[in-house]
Amino acid sequence: MAYHYSLRCRDRLSTAIIRLWILFILTLAASPSAFATVQASFDRTTVTLGETVRLLIEIDAQADDSGPNLQPLEQDFTILGRQVNTQLQLINGQPSAKTQWTIELEPKREGLLQIPSLVIGSEKTAPLSLLVQAPTGAAAKQPASDLFIEVQAEPLNPYVQAQINYTVRLFFALPLLEGSLSAPSPPNTMVERLGEDSTYDTQHNGQRYRVIERRYALFAQRSGALTIPQLNFEGRIADNNRRSLFSRGQRIKRSSDPITLEVRPRPATATGPYWLPGTAVSLQGTWSQQPPQFRVGEPITRTLQIVAQGLSKSQLPELTWPTFDWARLYPDQAVTENSIDGQWLVGRREQSIALVPTRAGRFTFPEVKLDWWDTQQDKSRTAVIPAMDIEVLPALNSEQPPVPVQPVLEQPSAQTEAGEGATGVFWPSAAMSLLLAWIATLFAWWRSNQNQRISEPVEQTPTYIPPTARAAKRAVKQACTDNNPAAAATALLAWASALWPNPPRHLGALATQLEPQTGSLVHALDRALYAPTTMPWEGQSLWQAVQRGLPLQRPKPKAQSPLAPLYPERNQS
């Protein structure tokens, strides 16, 4: 009986799953373009006549078999092929679909070709444009060959340390079985790879080629003549004269032509202490609070970011912070990265500093300036963050240090039945008692001092906690509750600076001053801040470890190692 019941349950479950999938398919088929979003783009926006280009069309729905209407493309393009890919999935119990078409096109003429909107069901794509250039340079003059290399450098007279766009194209008419292509290595030049290889088809001198295109960013470090040596290719291509399945193809070697550039020095009209030749440089400033609020004893973080197009991250300078008599400053480690924006390398540098105001009032945060050289307009420019007037508010719940209570001698009551004779007897006795007590205290202090000279000193813990430390502790609690690693790091350093005479400058130094378990949590916070990619951070464990308070005195220094430290800065606190 139980066995038949299990079979019936399993059959019902299978039937329910089948019905769910049928409902999923019918839902998509009933409204293929409902709530659909369609997008169209080219894999390249500039091509040479004879090259092929891919048109990508994507819609957030399951489309019918007809697909987009490509008839408007036939006037300016030859349609070489079309592929379609459909993905079906369930997201939060809701059916979702995505369809993508890849259409390979060959332009029929030169010029700026306008691609009108293409219709997919009830949706339309946005108009596009494609620039088709005439064949020029070595590619147009290259004799017919099964494989050859073309190199191109722009500009031919760059400024020193400015980006040089170096493009390598490998043309092959027969299938490429294997091969390796050397990288550019000019002397006194920094080389950065720009993205991944791109492949396309083209035609030269009546012969069709497959092309592998590779791009580099070069930065000459010296002015004068610069020769980029030839690049070498070595590999195997298919041999049309051999039809054997076991043929390893034809071994082939090819080299490109060297290119000589004239690198210009820094112009005399360039201003500023740094030489930054780029196409676009911006300077941005943000606060950890928006809008920022300044209060005595409460830390707030100021972040400056340099974004430079046509410059590497290693070329960006370290910005200097002003000194204030109304606040303490705790700079953090800079974060740098490179990215690619089309044909340009984009360098970024981000610097943060924690400000802890020490007194209330109205002050000015000065402007920040960065001079750079515009290589497109060939003139000097300046990126500026304007000055900012701020008001620092008094501390909340500010507390004064406790005042020591002096012993008060009990005065004789007015209702004392004893007369003036009794009062005269009391004061000499009280004076003698105080004298004896003072001598006993002095002797006890002397004995305690002698014992301290023999035994190890014991660190005394002050009972007074500064208001700035209390405010920083509240900030640590709030940052850990919000799981905000940047705010937690700033508040922790501000907390330590309010307690320790020689505060640490970064989280690594702070971790060495704490217990091993607490120090490991601080190291984890440091890794979360400076990881290459964003990683989640949970602050409850850190708050539980530090909520009882940081030690008011730093631990004793460890024995010095006979070897020099690997990272001297991290050993400073």
Side-chain angles (χ1 to χ4, degrees), residues 241-276:
N241 297 325
R242 297 183 181 182
R243 302 297 181 182
S244 173
L245 295 177
F246 301 100
S247 174
R248 296 185 58 192
Q250 177 186 359
R251 187 176 181 84
I252 190 170
K253 293 183 178 180
R254 293 290 187 271
S255 298
S256 68
D257 295 330
I259 298 179
T260 300
L261 308 177
E262 188 62 33
V263 181
R264 291 178 287 175
R266 172 177 176 170
T269 55
T271 59
Y274 309 110
W275 169 237
L276 299 174

Side-chain angles (χ1 to χ4, degrees), residues 48 71 81 87 102 150 172 178 195 204 218 244 249 256 259 265 339 355 362 366 373 416 457 491 494 518 525 527:
T48 302
Q71 186 176 0
Q87 297 179 354
T102 302
E150 172 193 324
F172 51 97
E178 63 179 14
H204 286 301
L218 309 182
S244 173
S256 68
I259 298 179
S339 60
L355 286 82
R362 298 188 64 87
W373 187 265
T416 303
T518 307
L525 171 61
R527 290 192 298 270

Side-chain angles (χ1 to χ4, degrees), residues 44 237 333 363 379 508 535:
R44 294 177 296 147
I237 61 174
Q333 295 176 343
F363 309 100
K379 64 179 181 180
M535 56 183 298

Side-chain angles (χ1 to χ4, degrees), residues 289 293-300 326-328 330 354-361 392-398 466-476 490-498:
Q289 299 176 3
Q293 183 178 14
F294 303 87
R295 190 175 295 277
V296 172
E298 296 186 5
I300 185 171
W326 50 271
R328 293 181 180 178
Y330 304 96
L355 286 82
V356 182
T358 55
R359 58 189 178 93
V392 179
L393 302 177
L396 292 175
N397 301 325
S398 59
T468 54
R470 292 190 176 94
K473 182 178 180 180
R474 291 194 299 268
V476 171
T490 301
L492 272 175
L493 293 174
W495 191 4
S497 68

Side-chain angles (χ1 to χ4, degrees), residues 321 329-333 352-354 493 505-506:
W321 299 96
L329 305 182
Y330 304 96
D332 209 342
Q333 295 176 343
S352 297
I353 187 170
L493 293 174
R505 295 182 297 176
H506 50 78

Side-chain angles (χ1 to χ4, degrees), residues 20-291:
L20 179 61
W21 275 106
I22 292 175
L23 179 60
F24 171 72
I25 299 299
L26 291 177
T27 302
L28 294 176
S31 181
S33 301
F35 308 101
T37 301
V38 62
Q39 297 178 348
S41 62
F42 283 110
D43 62 341
R44 294 177 296 147
T45 57
T46 303
V47 298
T48 302
L49 186 62
E51 297 178 351
T52 60
V53 65
R54 290 190 180 120
L55 175 63
L56 305 176
I57 301 176
E58 185 175 277
I59 185 172
D60 294 333
Q62 183 184 19
D64 53 24
D65 296 335
S66 61
N69 181 15
L70 304 181
Q71 186 176 0
L73 300 175
E74 297 178 353
Q75 180 179 355
D76 296 325
F77 298 89
T78 300
I79 302 175
L80 301 179
R82 182 177 71 169
Q83 295 180 349
V84 61
N85 181 30
T86 301
Q87 297 179 354
L88 304 177
Q89 55 183 342
L90 284 173
I91 301 177
N92 297 327
Q94 299 296 325
S96 175
K98 179 179 293 186
T99 305
Q100 184 183 69
W101 290 269
T102 302
I103 304 161
E104 191 167 9
L105 305 173
E106 182 178 2
K108 296 181 179 179
R109 61 182 179 88
E110 304 170 10
L112 185 63
L113 305 184
Q114 301 293 335
I115 292 83
S117 299
L118 302 179
V119 178
I120 305 178
S122 60
E123 301 289 330
K124 288 185 178 181
T125 65
L128 299 174
S129 60
L130 178 70
L131 179 61
V132 182
Q133 299 176 338
T136 57
K141 303 176 183 179
Q142 182 70 33
S145 174
D146 292 336
L147 186 145
F148 64 91
I149 305 173
E150 172 193 324
V151 293
Q152 182 181 7
E154 293 180 345
L156 297 177
N157 59 340
Y159 279 108
V160 62
Q161 297 182 353
Q163 178 175 332
I164 304 168
N165 293 312
Y166 186 74
T167 305
V168 184
R169 299 183 181 94
L170 179 66
F171 295 77
F172 51 97
L174 298 176
L176 188 63
L177 303 180
E178 63 179 14
S180 62
L181 180 64
S182 62
S185 56
N188 302 314
T189 302
M190 184 176 65
V191 180
E192 293 279 354
R193 179 83 173 268
L194 293 178
E196 301 295 330
D197 295 345
S198 60
T199 59
Y200 53 89
D201 293 332
T202 189
Q203 191 172 8
H204 286 301
N205 299 328
Q207 188 173 0
R208 180 164 291 277
Y209 289 91
R210 190 70 173 169
V211 182
I212 298 178
E213 183 175 294
R214 187 172 296 175
R215 296 178 295 123
Y216 296 90
L218 309 182
F219 299 88
Q221 302 301 304
R222 293 183 181 179
S223 58
L226 173 65
T227 299
I228 305 175
Q230 66 182 22
L231 303 185
N232 300 313
F233 173 84
E234 182 176 354
R236 295 180 183 274
I237 61 174
D239 190 350
N240 283 342
N241 297 325
R242 297 183 181 182
R243 302 297 181 182
S244 173
L245 295 177
F246 301 100
S247 174
R248 296 185 58 192
Q250 177 186 359
R251 187 176 181 84
I252 190 170
K253 293 183 178 180
R254 293 290 187 271
S255 298
S256 68
D257 295 330
I259 298 179
T260 300
L261 308 177
E262 188 62 33
V263 181
R264 291 178 287 175
R266 172 177 176 170
T269 55
T271 59
Y274 309 110
W275 169 237
L276 299 174
T279 57
V281 176
S282 64
L283 193 59
Q284 304 168 4
T286 58
W287 295 94
S288 56
Q289 299 176 3
Q290 292 297 337

Side-chain angles (χ1 to χ4, degrees), residues 449-496:
N449 192 29
Q450 292 297 319
N451 292 336
Q452 278 191 334
R453 293 182 181 181
I454 299 176
S455 61
E456 293 185 357
V458 179
E459 294 178 348
Q460 301 296 326
T461 302
T463 58
Y464 169 62
I465 306 298
T468 54
R470 292 190 176 94
K473 182 178 180 180
R474 291 194 299 268
V476 171
K477 180 180 180 180
Q478 185 63 43
C480 291
T481 303
D482 298 339
N483 295 325
N484 187 339
T490 301
L492 272 175
L493 293 174
W495 191 4

